[in-house]
Amino acid sequence: MDFRITAEEEALVFRLAELLDAGTQPRQAQLVEELGPGIRQQLEALKAKDWIHVREPASGMVVVDLTGPAWKAVRSRRDVGR
């Protein structure tokens, strides 16, 4: 796992965690609609850096989960200041 991610990728990881916690497996198209076309590149980067697990059916990428270390990073950052 590559722990060097950009601020934009980090923000996307937190958004993905919110969606996954709510029971949603976000589709790339949904994220592009919500966050803009630059999200495609960020999703590919997070996949390459082993931050997310995806399925890639014909209809487009679906984020099915964060990796274990990614969840750990999200949880530790959410606890800061509490």
Side-chain angles (χ1 to χ4, degrees):
M1 180 174 196
D2 184 349
F3 285 96
R4 296 170 294 164
I5 63 173
T6 66
E8 292 83 7
E9 291 166 351
E10 180 180 15
L12 178 55
V13 167
F14 277 90
R15 180 63 182 132
L16 293 171
E18 289 174 0
L19 292 167
L20 292 164
D21 276 343
T24 300
Q25 291 183 337
R27 297 184 171 280
Q28 182 182 47
Q30 170 193 353
L31 295 167
V32 167
E33 185 176 310
E34 178 184 340
L35 304 169
I39 289 302
R40 287 186 182 97
Q41 184 178 2
Q42 292 174 30
L43 286 169
E44 288 296 334
L46 290 172
K47 185 176 92 172
K49 294 174 183 180
D50 294 324
W51 278 77
I52 58 175
H53 295 295
V54 301
R55 280 186 298 118
E56 298 196 51
S59 60
M61 181 189 292
V62 177
V63 179
V64 296
D65 208 352
L66 300 182
T67 62
W71 275 118
K72 193 174 213 177
V74 167
R75 299 287 187 238
S76 70
R77 289 291 302 269
R78 284 184 179 167
D79 292 337
V80 172
R82 289 189 183 178

